[in-house]
Amino acid sequence: LYTVRLLWKVLGIDDYGIYNVVGGIVLMFAFLNNAMIASSQRFISFELGRGNLERLRRTFSISITVHTLLAIIVFILAETIGLWFLNEKMNIPIGRMTAANWVYQCSIVSFILNIISVPYNACIVAHEHMKVYGYFGIIDVILKLVLVLITAVLPFDHLITYAVLIMILSASMRIIYSIYCQRHFEECHFLWFKDNDLIKEMFSFAGWSFVGNMGFSVRDQGSNIIINMFFSVAVNAAKGIANQIGNVINGFAANFTMALNPQITKRYASGQIQSMLDLIMNGCKYSLLLMSLVVLPVIFAAPELLSHWLDDVAPYTIGFLQLVLIMSLVDCVVSPITTALQATGKIKKFQIIISLIMLSSLPLAWLVLTLYANPYLVILISIGTSIIALGTRLVLLHELIPFSYKRFLSKVYGKCLPFALIVGTLSWYSYPLFTTDLIGLLGYFCIIFFVELVSAYIIVLGKSERMKIREYILNSLNK
């Protein structure tokens, strides 16, 4: 968050908006990569669950081959359709088109490097070496802060300089991840395999994943482009800031589910269906709880928080942030459910329906903005599609495995909604009383956090969970 604040000051509002919207064009092709991430993680975790080392080696090597081919396809698309769209259709100031093209090319290189390294990351997740993400994540964040400081003092165009430095950092981190995997996992050594059945199975899974992820990519990145077509890059900058904070907060739930997802797939592969269902329920409940702990007080304190964090708060930033956080509360329970659907391997119907729901948000946003020039409406439409997609996932999961709607609603929302109501009400009434200055803001968060912990312990956690916490505290004190 501090790095984003400095980058905002170093680049300025317009250049920060350009960096976000131009990078978004490249991320439009992310649905191709995200599909292969899902495919690689599913098949590698599945083979680990079955304990088949030979097939695991084949799966990894074939994943490397497939991702290399995918990187070539993305490069061709980005340098043709994407480049044309950037230079002919985007609303970018004439004097910054050269810088925008530099950002675009650097983003392409970084994205392609990420594509090629996906199988290595999938192995880290499948083997549940989550501490690696912790260590490397800290290194990555520190280096990004250093790059912003370097950008500020170098006598070159700041936008171009930062884009080039981020590209170099991305390449370096990809190499580090690859070296770690090759030293710690037996299967992470590329060998040429010709296994037509496995290739066909992976491509079939990835092909339908392409369809589903295309919907998400179009909704998320397409909304940035539509906003750019109707408004200025300053509005893109406001949305970019909101997304940056949202991504940081989403990390609380995302890192938790990252550790959870391999176990869901492994338990399905080994036939432990009831155990998998318990894991899904608990995963959704804890994800929603973790997000609520942070999101609820931040939604109400957003104006004061942004005024202390940024020297110059752009118009629409506060509203964007509040809406992005609300959407995070909807989406935070999706990951365990999606992983369970993918574990079955029967994803054709699931991906088609979800993709259509997500794609519908783009024409709706276009239509609404032609009638009412309010950029908030784009996020509101995205929230609506997220709610519909969540309900659809639950219906589809019920068709594939013995999944109970009643148990899910009772265990997840039956526990978390009363908690959210209490904390939300307290946040609403206490915010004006405390947040007159920075000390008051800190006091507000401390009081709300204490109330959240007590409420979560009493309302959200079950009897056995409370007992485990008491035992843990007593054991820690005795030591």
Side-chain angles (χ1 to χ4, degrees):
L1 288 174
Y2 182 66
T3 301
V4 172
R5 181 181 187 275
L6 287 181
L7 185 62
W8 175 269
K9 293 179 67 176
V10 170
L11 295 184
I13 293 176
D14 285 352
D15 274 5
Y16 188 87
I18 291 171
Y19 184 79
N20 276 277
V21 74
V22 171
I25 299 176
V26 178
L27 291 177
M28 283 287 286
F29 301 109
F31 69 92
L32 297 169
N33 191 37
N34 291 339
M36 289 311 306
I37 290 173
S39 179
S40 296
Q41 288 185 351
R42 188 266 176 185
F43 281 91
I44 290 173
S45 295
F46 196 89
E47 297 306 331
L48 275 173
R50 294 170 63 182
N52 190 331
L53 180 58
E54 179 59 28
R55 189 169 171 85
L56 180 60
R57 286 173 174 163
R58 288 175 175 267
T59 300
F60 174 81
S61 294
I62 289 172
S63 293
I64 290 289
T65 302
V66 170
H67 278 84
T68 302
L69 293 173
L70 178 63
I72 295 172
I73 293 171
V74 168
F75 178 78
I76 293 171
L77 290 173
E79 293 292 359
T80 52
I81 297 173
L83 193 60
W84 167 81
F85 192 85
L86 169 65
N87 288 283
E88 299 295 331
K89 298 296 181 181
M90 296 303 297
N91 181 22
I92 294 173
I94 299 297
R96 301 305 290 154
M97 282 304 301
T98 299
N101 275 276
W102 270 92
V103 172
Y104 183 72
Q105 296 300 329
C106 291
S107 298
I108 291 173
V109 174
S110 298
F111 188 57
I112 286 175
L113 290 170
N114 286 335
I115 291 175
I116 296 172
S117 64
V118 161
Y120 294 99
N121 289 33
C123 284
I124 294 174
V125 174
H127 284 278
E128 301 179 58
H129 283 212
M130 300 306 170
K131 64 181 180 181
V132 175
Y133 281 103
Y135 297 149
F136 290 169
I138 291 170
I139 294 171
D140 185 59
V141 168
I142 292 173
L143 289 177
K144 283 180 179 176
L145 173 60
V146 172
L147 294 187
V148 175
L149 296 174
I150 292 173
T151 301
V153 299
L154 288 177
F156 307 114
D157 186 293
H158 287 166
L159 181 57
I160 296 175
T161 301
Y162 182 71
V164 172
L165 292 175
I166 287 294
M167 178 187 67
I168 295 171
L169 174 61
S170 178
S172 302
M173 293 306 298
R174 292 305 99 199
I175 292 171
I176 292 172
Y177 274 108
S178 301
I179 292 173
Y180 177 88
C181 290
Q182 290 173 353
R183 290 184 176 180
H184 289 82
F185 309 134
E186 292 182 73
E187 70 273 13
C188 289
H189 298 278
F190 178 77
L191 297 170
W192 178 256
F193 285 108
K194 186 177 181 181
D195 189 330
N196 292 333
D197 290 337
L198 181 57
I199 292 174
K200 183 179 178 180
E201 191 178 355
M202 289 185 69
F203 262 113
S204 176
F205 187 95
W208 292 116
S209 294
F210 287 154
V211 175
N213 282 286
M214 179 177 65
F216 281 99
S217 182
V218 170
R219 186 194 71 172
D220 295 338
Q221 304 307 322
S223 64
N224 292 332
I225 294 172
I226 283 185
I227 287 174
N228 178 259
M229 290 179 170
F230 282 87
F231 305 97
S232 68
V233 291
V235 180
N236 282 113
K239 188 171 182 290
I241 283 290
N243 286 336
Q244 288 281 1
I245 300 174
N247 290 338
V248 171
I249 294 176
N250 283 333
F252 284 95
N255 289 329
F256 170 70
T257 54
M258 183 188 293
L260 189 76
N261 292 341
Q263 278 295 322
I264 293 175
T265 304
K266 290 175 184 177
R267 292 184 191 189
Y268 180 84
S270 59
Q272 303 176 56
I273 303 300
Q274 189 54 51
S275 177
M276 181 186 77
L277 289 171
D278 291 338
L279 203 56
I280 294 169
M281 302 287 184
N282 286 326
C284 291
K285 182 177 77 170
Y286 293 137
S287 295
L288 186 54
L289 176 60
L290 285 170
M291 286 297 292
S292 300
L293 287 172
V294 182
V295 165
L296 291 173
V298 171
I299 285 177
F300 295 105
E304 193 75 17
L305 189 65
L306 286 171
S307 68
H308 286 293
W309 182 46
L310 301 173
D311 293 334
D312 181 20
V313 181
Y316 300 109
T317 306
I318 295 170
F320 275 140
L321 175 58
Q322 291 169 329
L323 291 173
V324 165
L325 293 178
I326 291 171
M327 189 160 67
S328 296
L329 287 175
V330 177
D331 288 338
C332 67
V333 301
V334 165
S335 184
I337 301 168
T338 300
T339 301
L341 286 162
Q342 291 173 339
T344 67
K346 300 174 183 177
I347 62 169
K348 177 180 177 180
K349 182 179 179 181
F350 155 62
Q351 296 291 8
I352 291 174
I353 294 175
I354 295 299
S355 180
L356 289 175
I357 293 172
M358 294 299 146
L359 287 172
S360 68
S361 64
L362 213 58
L364 284 174
W366 179 279
L367 176 63
V368 168
L369 287 182
T370 58
L371 299 174
Y372 309 99
N374 187 333
Y376 295 146
L377 295 172
V378 177
I379 312 296
L380 286 170
I381 291 171
S382 295
I383 292 172
T385 57
S386 289
I387 293 171
I388 295 170
L390 174 59
T392 303
R393 288 185 184 90
L394 296 176
V395 172
L396 294 172
L397 186 61
H398 177 72
E399 293 178 357
L400 295 174
I401 57 177
F403 174 81
S404 170
Y405 300 124
K406 183 178 179 181
R407 185 170 175 237
F408 178 85
L409 292 174
S410 173
K411 190 164 186 176
V412 179
Y413 290 103
K415 297 282 189 179
C416 292
L417 284 182
F419 164 82
L421 182 62
I422 291 172
V423 174
T425 302
L426 181 65
S427 300
W428 172 266
Y429 283 106
S430 62
Y431 164 68
L433 302 176
F434 288 92
T435 51
T436 55
D437 53 24
L438 184 59
I439 301 299
L441 185 65
L442 293 174
Y444 162 80
F445 279 114
C446 289
I447 291 172
I448 296 299
F449 188 65
F450 175 76
V451 172
E452 285 178 325
L453 291 180
V454 174
S455 301
Y457 183 82
I458 296 172
I459 299 172
V460 180
L461 300 183
K463 183 178 179 181
S464 61
E465 293 163 327
R466 291 195 293 267
M467 188 179 297
K468 287 179 181 178
I469 290 176
R470 287 197 297 268
E471 290 175 356
Y472 179 80
I473 294 173
L474 290 173
N475 291 334
S476 300
L477 292 175
N478 291 331
K479 290 179 181 179

